Amino acid sequence: MIYLPLIVTLAALFFTYRILSRTWRYLRLAHIPGPLPAKITTLWLTYHQSTGSLARHLSSLSKRYGPIYRIAPNWVITSDPAAIRQLWSARGPWYRGQWYDMFRMDQPVSTVLSERDNHKHAALKAKLLPGYSGKDVENLHEAVDRRVADLVQLIERKYLSDDERGVYRPMDLAEKATFMTQDVISELAIGRCFECLVHDRDTYGQMTGVTGSLPLVITLATIPWTLGLLQNPLVRALLPKEKLEGVVRQQELAKKQVAERFGEDKVVRRDMLGSFVKHGLGHTNAWLETFVQIGAGSDTTATAIRMTMFHLMSSPGSYKRLQDEIDAAIREGRVSSPIAEEEARRLPYLQAVMKEGLRLSSPVMGLLPRICDTEQTVCGVRIPPGTNVCWDAISIFRNQETFGADADVFRPERWLVEMEDVEKKSMKFVQGLVFGTSGRFECLGKGIAMLELNKVFVEVSGP
């Protein structure tokens, strides 16, 4: 009984501390509006993230609360494009929040996706840029041409329907788009194509790995300290093995390929991995960056392809106009087979379709929080140090002041109409946020992704 008063005192102190700390967390952002549950607990944000409805839920809240509002005790979100320019500025004081630790997990060093220090991120990006830009990659355009041809051949071989015979062969375009982007990035990254399209299956378990692990990880990222649990061997042992099999297989493949590029009998190739090594990336960093690029590089581009095709197939008038433009270009000899990127860039409606598809269905819908160590002002609102400031992607890309009253509608023609220079510049800037801002936070894979998009829509949508 002698310890009972001490235990009671310690318990009282603990609960007093918890109450005071939560009260302080609530009050430090009390001047920013938002749902009441979100002001009190992070569980509100975690719940909506876990259901997969967060992005659209935030879009509706933006209409209610305005350009900046609270989504957790220490998190706010903005739908103002000008604020995003401020947060993602190459010379600004903002840096990545703890949310990005989800891309690191149990990796021994940070990658270009998980590195939070701005200076280290810039140094790492400089070593990767020549490979991602294609300057050090041999036969870049030819490699993409081969994989697009594989996609067309697969469709013709297995999935063409015959109306006269009443034979209908449904095809999962979302799956095939992922197969194509996996084949592209694997050949460019390590000089070895996965051949998903040839075998019509997920040969290395990439899709299984992404769909099995990413929803869990991105949910836990809203409570950053829980990411450490996934590094615990006991916790990892409890996770479904089949959902992690693809991740493990790709890690082992990346390690094996990188091991061949170091040592006395090292293999030298003009692929992206070869470029990384050439520009000073060490063994551990090389295999991690290779693993990351295969996952991130294939899934995001595949999302852009399948969602743009979805919008096209849901808009018969737009689909017909694109086909007419392609037919006319072929008839007049303005495009070759397969189409060259510079030829695709000269097809105005194709470019409008791509911009509109990326705008309406951005491949990256994560929160992407930024933090600053000093007090800042965002959207005219005081932001205390250490606050996570995120972006509301859907509201930004469907902003009616920027894109018109029909901003929710797939209408490529909006990119072709005559408009004031200021208005056109505003549209281009906001749509360009799909790949981040130029400089520090611009997507490294933008060039390769646009190359794939310029080619695949012509070959799939054409005659």
Side-chain angles (χ1 to χ4, degrees):
M1 298 297 293
I2 189 171
Y3 297 107
L4 183 58
L6 178 61
I7 294 174
V8 171
T9 300
L10 291 176
L13 289 174
F14 172 77
F15 283 112
T16 300
Y17 166 76
R18 294 292 293 174
I19 292 172
L20 290 176
S21 64
R22 286 187 174 275
T23 302
W24 177 79
R25 290 174 66 194
Y26 175 85
L27 293 176
R28 69 190 294 271
L29 295 176
H31 58 290
I32 300 177
L36 180 60
K39 297 179 179 181
I40 299 173
T41 175
T42 307
L43 293 178
W44 180 91
L45 174 61
T46 304
Y47 168 75
H48 287 291
Q49 181 69 78
S50 68
T51 62
S53 62
L54 179 63
R56 295 196 176 280
H57 194 62
L58 293 177
S59 178
S60 64
L61 290 177
S62 178
K63 298 174 183 177
R64 176 179 178 184
Y65 293 112
I68 187 167
Y69 57 96
R70 200 170 177 181
I71 57 173
N74 195 41
W75 297 58
V76 299
I77 194 165
T78 178
S79 58
D80 183 357
I84 300 304
R85 181 187 296 218
Q86 173 187 350
L87 296 173
W88 294 359
S89 171
R91 295 180 177 82
W94 298 85
Y95 60 92
R96 289 170 163 180
Q98 251 185 307
W99 182 88
Y100 283 87
D101 287 343
M102 73 170 175
F103 294 115
R104 179 166 181 170
M105 302 296 290
D106 60 346
Q107 297 170 1
V109 295
S110 294
T111 65
V112 72
L113 282 182
S114 62
E115 181 57 67
R116 296 172 58 202
D117 181 275
N118 287 338
H119 297 294
K120 292 180 180 179
H121 180 269
L124 181 57
K125 188 174 181 179
K127 295 178 181 180
L128 303 176
L129 187 57
Y132 274 97
S133 67
K135 293 179 180 178
D136 290 348
V137 180
E138 192 173 34
N139 299 322
L140 171 64
H141 291 250
E142 291 80 0
V144 176
D145 287 337
R146 286 193 292 271
R147 304 292 75 87
V148 173
D150 285 346
L151 174 61
V152 174
Q153 289 169 12
L154 173 62
I155 295 173
E156 293 176 344
R157 184 175 73 249
K158 292 185 62 176
Y159 296 104
L160 286 184
S161 298
D162 189 332
D163 289 338
E164 293 183 359
R165 298 181 181 180
V167 177
Y168 302 100
R169 300 183 179 94
M171 183 189 77
D172 186 346
L173 178 60
E175 180 185 68
K176 309 314 174 192
T178 303
F179 287 174
M180 192 205 82
T181 56
Q182 285 185 49
D183 283 355
V184 168
I185 199 62
S186 59
E187 181 168 352
L188 297 179
I190 59 177
R192 176 180 174 180
C193 177
F194 283 176
E195 296 187 336
C196 298
L197 290 170
V198 172
H199 300 289
D200 196 16
R201 63 184 177 86
D202 186 15
T203 54
Y204 277 87
Q206 163 69 14
M207 290 180 65
T208 303
V210 170
T211 57
S213 61
L214 191 57
L216 171 63
V217 173
I218 204 170
T219 297
L220 293 180
T222 59
I223 314 177
W225 64 266
T226 61
L227 291 172
L229 294 176
L230 295 183
Q231 300 180 21
N232 187 303
L234 295 177
V235 175
R236 291 175 69 88
L238 298 176
L239 297 176
K241 296 280 191 303
E242 65 277 6
K243 291 189 175 183
L244 297 177
E245 182 181 357
V247 175
V248 173
R249 289 182 66 187
Q250 290 200 38
Q251 284 184 340
E252 293 304 318
L253 174 64
K255 289 179 181 179
K256 180 180 178 181
Q257 294 295 318
V258 170
E260 296 177 354
R261 311 299 177 96
F262 291 86
E264 295 182 2
D265 300 323
K266 62 182 179 182
V267 175
V268 178
R269 291 180 185 154
R270 291 198 59 192
D271 51 22
M272 295 175 74
L273 175 54
S275 175
F276 298 165
V277 176
K278 174 184 175 182
H279 291 276
L281 211 62
H283 184 283
T284 300
N285 287 98
W287 83 256
L288 285 171
E289 292 296 345
T290 300
F291 168 67
V292 164
Q293 72 176 152
I294 291 175
S298 62
D299 186 64
T300 49
T301 308
T303 299
I305 293 172
R306 57 179 169 251
M307 292 309 299
T308 301
M309 287 302 299
F310 167 78
H311 290 301
L312 271 175
M313 291 185 288
S314 303
S315 309
S318 299
Y319 199 178
K320 179 65 165 56
R321 183 168 177 178
L322 176 61
Q323 287 181 315
D324 289 344
E325 180 179 70
I326 296 171
D327 289 345
I330 294 174
R331 189 168 55 249
E332 296 165 10
R334 290 186 282 116
V335 299
S336 52
S337 181
I339 190 169
E341 185 178 25
E342 58 270 20
E343 294 171 344
R345 288 177 176 175
R346 291 195 290 267
L347 299 180
Y349 198 72
L350 170 64
Q351 299 306 306
V353 164
M354 290 165 53
K355 289 177 181 177
E356 191 74 344
L358 289 169
R359 179 187 73 83
L360 273 182
S361 301
S362 171
V364 179
M365 301 293 288
L367 294 170
L368 311 184
R370 298 297 192 271
I371 290 177
C372 188
D373 294 329
T374 58
E375 184 175 296
Q376 298 291 318
T377 300
V378 178
C379 298
V381 176
R382 178 179 60 84
I383 304 296
T387 303
N388 288 280
V389 184
C390 315
W391 79 323
D392 179 357
I394 288 184
S395 296
I396 287 173
F397 292 129
R398 302 190 180 199
N399 185 295
Q400 293 187 2
E401 291 183 6
T402 304
F403 297 104
D406 63 346
D408 288 327
V409 177
F410 180 78
R411 187 172 65 83
E413 286 76 10
R414 78 176 76 249
W415 297 98
L416 303 176
V417 299
E418 293 294 330
M419 62 185 76
E420 297 294 331
D421 288 343
V422 174
E423 185 181 0
K424 183 180 294 184
K425 186 176 181 180
S426 175
M427 284 178 57
K428 288 183 177 179
F429 166 74
V430 176
Q431 193 273 340
L433 292 175
V434 168
F435 293 104
T437 54
S438 60
R440 182 195 303 167
F441 297 117
E442 184 173 47
C443 174
L444 277 168
K446 176 181 176 180
I448 295 175
M450 293 305 295
L451 173 61
E452 293 179 72
L453 298 183
N454 270 304
K455 290 177 176 289
V456 72
F457 292 129
V458 173
E459 301 300 333
V460 174
S461 304

